[in-house]
Amino acid sequence: MQSGRNSLNLAYMKKIRNFCIIAHIDHGKSTLADRLLDITGSVTEREKQDQLLDTMDLERERGITIKSHAIQMDYTYKGEEYILNLIDTPGHVDFSYEVSRSIAACEGALLIVDAAQSIQAQTISNLYLALENDLEIIPVLNKIDLPSANPEEVTDDIVDLLGCNPEKIIHASGKTGFGVEDILTAVIERIPAPKGNPDESLQALVFDSVYNPFRGVETYFRVINGSIKKNQQIKFIATGKTYSADEVGTLKLSQVVKQEIKTGDVGYLITGIKDAREVKVGDTITDAKHPTTNAVEGFEDVKPMVFAGIYPVDTEDYEELRNSMEKLQLNDASLVFSPESSAALGFGFRCGFLGMLHMEIIQERLEREFNMTVITTVPNVSYHAFTRKYPNEPIIVNNPTDLPDPSGLERVEEPYIKATIITKSDFVGNVMSLCIEKRGLITNQTYLTTERVELTFDMPLAEIVFDFYDRLKTVSKGYASFDYHPIGMRTSKLVRVDILLNGQTVDALSALIHADNAHNIGKKMCVKLKELIPRQQFDIPIQAAIGAKIISRETIKALRKDVTAKCYGGDISRKRKLLEKQKKGKKRMRQVGNVEIPQQAFMAVLKLND
């Protein structure tokens, strides 16, 4: 009986194909996924729409995938039924950990390259992730129907990158549907069926989770060994918590409830968990009574890379902002926040994001989904400060105001990244100048073709947080693609630059800056603020300071009311008396006067080079 059940399980596994799609932003990944769903009959005419797997309005507008999605398709090939599990992945570097877990849940990957744009940096970094996981790579040349397509040249690029046979590259068009059946044939023939032992204890990899307001957290997983049944007692290894599997099923366009998800298959799990932080991407699910001894490798807690303060425009909306952030965190467990207060902005939150795109998305979602207008302070990264008293114990500095007193400071370390930039050979000089200006050190330069160059730099993460990506696109006329991964902490000569308005420190404008750039940036900040802060009835000095030393100053001149207008003729002493009286009033006004800082002043610091 057992052997019969085993052979049934093995026969079922042979019909499964788990694959993901690797592509750079805007290479047609979502459109091609739509065509795959059409041809396999996974969507009805009524359900059809562009970018079907991108569920957020933001994803559709920007043409990017923010949240990864999974969908199961049935396809008949040579008279046999196959189950194809497509695990869509986000393309942006901010979500690279999610991509790595989705890749770990697959046996194969479609490498999609735009026939007009050729290979980009993001594609290469995700391709290396796929190769590390021993995935079968199927190269697809997409958008070949475009007038600007250059299939021969791009085919040569792919052959150089993968070392594959040119005949193995599938020519396709997501727009017209050309070549999509060839892709499905290649998925079935080239991608191996999942391996695994149905008799072993349950071992399943969590590759995603979504929050459902009615049912709690829905966990998406891939079964590696064993199987998961409805009402089974299961345990999450990383958190050590045990739950009951209230519902399990497969992920078609809508969820399909099943009694059991077998070895090699992909499915969803509902356990009634209400807190998204209890389900961690990369965790292993196992049986609570007979747990597996080995967890799936590669699990790590997602670490925020960029920090910024988010404050309500009106201080009374603080509690409403807290509720909105908590609801957002249910959908996005990688968002971290803690309360903080600022003398200039009142009460708000210090938030940790995966990167600049993630920060923009959170800000946009707060405004769209919760009608919250917020002020975001200057983003910064997480530093390690070491004091002379405790030279081996790092103090984690997420906010410039947390930096210990410079007199007792031993050193400050900042996170570095390895940046990969692919650009046309005409723009190499411009890109190098920009990276060197941003304290980058060139480590490698490779000509992929005579036209395209791959440059590798070691750079401080803090330097790309501001306006790096926008300026890179400008100097390369849009032809550079950029990707990065962290390489650890390095000692840097950093100082805290404070901005003083009317003698008062505005803590929300403080920034940690490299000592060589401090004077230059301090001056630029003062000039920018002078343009943006409205004039008052009294002079407003704007100063940039390092500690007690003022490094730059600008003054916003007072709006002058002509108090002598009513005096015509008469003695000069009368005019002088009125001017003296005005002078005293101005002095008193300056002591008690408050300077209102407009919202755009906080974000203007990011655009100092405009």
Side-chain angles (χ1 to χ4, degrees):
M1 183 75 186
Q2 184 69 33
S3 63
R5 189 164 177 263
N6 261 0
S7 56
L8 273 173
N9 274 338
L10 292 168
Y12 176 76
M13 276 165 66
K14 279 181 182 166
K15 297 287 184 283
I16 298 175
R17 299 290 182 272
N18 297 321
F19 68 102
C20 60
I21 300 180
I22 294 171
H24 190 74
I25 296 165
D26 200 32
H27 277 208
K29 179 171 64 147
S30 297
T31 314
L32 204 62
D34 291 347
R35 294 296 80 75
L36 291 171
L37 296 176
D38 290 349
I39 284 186
T40 54
S42 305
V43 285
T44 60
E45 281 297 324
R46 220 176 100 199
E47 291 166 327
K48 273 186 194 175
Q49 59 171 324
D50 287 345
Q51 290 170 257
L52 190 68
L53 295 182
D54 292 342
T55 46
M56 279 188 237
D57 290 343
L58 252 173
E59 292 181 310
R60 292 171 184 283
E61 280 171 30
R62 291 185 174 212
I64 54 174
T65 301
I66 295 166
K67 197 93 181 80
S68 56
H69 298 271
I71 193 159
Q72 192 176 84
M73 302 173 279
D74 298 321
Y75 187 62
T76 308
Y77 176 66
K78 292 186 177 173
E80 292 196 40
E81 286 283 331
Y82 285 88
I83 296 167
L84 311 179
N85 289 312
L86 163 63
I87 298 171
D88 194 14
T89 57
H92 199 275
V93 62
D94 286 5
F95 310 107
S96 57
Y97 176 63
E98 269 189 38
V99 175
S100 76
R101 296 299 83 208
S102 298
I103 284 174
C106 301
E107 277 80 33
L110 297 179
L111 173 73
I112 294 182
V113 178
D114 188 324
Q117 295 181 53
S118 193
I119 295 159
Q120 307 280 310
Q122 201 80 54
T123 323
I124 291 180
S125 76
N126 287 349
L127 172 67
Y128 288 156
L129 268 178
L131 292 170
E132 278 168 26
N133 284 282
D134 293 330
L135 264 61
E136 178 64 40
I137 308 292
I138 299 173
V140 177
L141 196 57
N142 194 22
K143 302 193 186 180
I144 60 156
D145 56 320
L146 287 180
S148 57
N150 194 345
E152 290 82 15
E153 194 179 303
V154 180
T155 298
D156 292 343
D157 290 355
I158 297 173
V159 171
D160 289 346
L161 181 68
L162 289 176
C164 64
N165 190 330
E167 278 99 59
K168 294 274 187 186
I169 299 170
I170 300 167
H171 288 219
S173 164
K175 194 173 171 187
T176 62
F178 172 77
V180 177
E181 287 194 351
D182 297 342
I183 293 173
L184 289 167
T185 303
V187 165
I188 290 165
E189 288 184 350
R190 294 197 223 164
I191 294 176
K195 295 181 178 70
N197 188 344
D199 297 333
E200 273 190 31
S201 204
L202 169 66
Q203 183 193 25
L205 167 70
V206 176
F207 63 84
D208 199 10
S209 68
V210 291
Y211 182 76
N212 181 324
F214 304 106
R215 313 181 71 188
V217 179
E218 297 172 358
T219 308
Y220 296 169
F221 62 87
R222 144 85 198 268
V223 182
I224 293 165
N225 290 312
S227 67
I228 183 166
K229 299 181 183 70
K230 189 179 175 177
N231 298 326
Q232 182 178 349
Q233 287 295 308
I234 53 124
K235 180 181 175 183
F236 286 87
I237 289 181
T239 58
K241 297 195 174 176
T242 305
Y243 305 97
S244 167
D246 299 341
E247 181 179 312
V248 293
T250 52
L251 295 149
K252 295 281 176 88
L253 198 58
S254 52
Q255 294 169 342
V256 182
V257 180
K258 294 274 175 84
Q259 286 300 312
E260 181 181 20
I261 304 290
K262 296 175 185 167
T263 312
D265 212 349
V266 171
Y268 74 91
L269 161 75
I270 293 173
T271 52
I273 298 172
K274 291 286 182 279
D275 186 353
R277 285 167 295 189
E278 287 182 28
V279 178
K280 295 180 185 290
V281 171
D283 198 354
T284 306
I285 304 173
T286 188
D287 185 41
K289 291 173 186 161
H290 309 288
T292 180
T293 48
N294 51 338
V296 182
E297 287 177 7
F299 171 74
E300 55 184 73
D301 276 318
V302 181
K303 294 181 191 73
M305 301 287 277
V306 174
F307 294 84
I310 288 186
Y311 292 84
V313 172
D314 191 343
T315 343
E316 291 168 7
D317 296 338
Y318 173 72
E319 280 305 321
E320 204 178 320
L321 179 61
R322 179 196 287 276
N323 294 337
S324 307
M325 299 281 276
E326 281 169 355
K327 283 177 187 165
L328 257 184
Q329 200 177 37
L330 292 172
N331 274 316
D332 187 348
S334 50
L335 168 68
V336 203
F337 66 90
S338 58
E340 73 166 1
S341 62
S342 150
L345 298 170
F347 291 102
F349 297 96
R350 169 80 11 192
C351 306
F353 308 97
L354 299 176
M356 285 303 281
L357 178 78
H358 189 212
M359 177 178 142
E360 272 181 54
I361 287 160
I362 295 294
Q363 206 177 336
E364 190 114 356
R365 286 183 70 184
L366 279 171
E367 287 184 12
R368 283 186 187 204
E369 295 170 29
F370 304 100
N371 292 326
M372 292 295 310
T373 316
V374 292
I375 293 174
T376 313
T377 63
V378 184
N380 60 281
V381 298
S382 185
Y383 299 93
H384 287 178
F386 295 85
T387 54
R388 289 199 181 99
K389 199 172 179 185
Y390 305 107
N392 297 321
E393 289 178 26
I395 298 164
I396 294 168
V397 179
N398 293 334
N399 191 342
T401 50
D402 299 341
L403 190 74
D405 183 38
S407 57
L409 206 57
E410 172 78 23
R411 67 183 190 281
V412 180
E413 291 183 354
E414 64 176 331
Y416 262 69
I417 55 158
K418 184 167 283 303
T420 308
I421 296 168
I422 294 179
T423 185
K424 284 196 164 185
S425 46
D426 310 0
F427 305 117
V428 170
N430 298 356
V431 171
M432 277 191 179
S433 305
L434 172 65
C435 292
I436 290 162
E437 182 196 323
K438 296 282 187 183
R439 298 194 281 134
L441 294 169
I442 186 156
T443 55
N444 199 358
Q445 179 178 352
T446 315
Y447 276 80
L448 301 171
T449 66
T450 50
E451 283 293 302
R452 298 170 68 253
V453 188
E454 181 182 18
L455 301 167
T456 314
F457 291 90
D458 286 357
M459 289 173 77
L461 178 65
E463 293 290 344
I464 65 156
V465 162
F466 286 163
D467 54 354
F468 179 77
Y469 196 62
D470 295 345
R471 285 186 62 200
L472 177 67
K473 286 290 180 194
T474 308
V475 299
S476 64
K477 298 187 180 167
Y479 279 106
S481 64
F482 172 66
D483 181 47
Y484 69 86
H485 62 269
I487 52 169
M489 308 293 280
R490 294 187 189 177
T491 304
S492 284
K493 198 176 164 193
L494 296 166
V495 290
R496 187 175 84 211
V497 175
D498 292 318
I499 298 293
L500 287 81
L501 273 187
N502 203 12
Q504 302 289 317
T505 306
V506 183
D507 51 2
L509 288 172
S510 296
L512 281 177
I513 296 166
H514 195 267
D516 298 349
N517 303 338
H519 283 72
N520 190 12
I521 289 177
K523 180 153 184 60
K524 281 184 177 174
M525 282 165 92
C526 290
V527 170
K528 199 81 176 175
L529 289 169
K530 186 182 176 182
E531 292 168 20
L532 292 165
I533 293 173
R535 289 167 73 188
Q536 307 281 344
Q537 295 279 336
F538 53 93
D539 283 2
I540 306 169
I542 304 169
Q543 296 161 309
I546 298 172
K549 184 185 171 191
I550 304 293
I551 56 170
S552 176
R553 172 181 168 134
E554 294 286 331
T555 307
I556 300 172
K557 284 295 177 196
L559 282 167
R560 186 150 176 250
K561 184 180 174 189
D562 191 357
V563 287
T564 60
K566 58 182 181 246
C567 304
Y568 45 93
D571 187 12
I572 186 73
S573 60
R574 206 170 142 220
K575 285 187 180 177
R576 202 160 280 150
K577 199 168 151 192
L578 284 167
L579 290 168
E580 283 298 320
K581 191 178 171 191
Q582 184 188 32
K583 200 171 171 184
K584 279 182 191 164
K586 294 248 181 200
K587 196 174 174 184
R588 192 168 65 250
M589 196 188 270
R590 189 173 151 188
Q591 284 165 354
V592 297
N594 267 334
V595 182
E596 283 289 316
I597 307 170
Q599 187 181 341
Q600 66 262 38
F602 293 101
M603 290 317 284
V605 186
L606 302 184
K607 299 184 174 69
L608 290 176
N609 288 299
D610 290 1

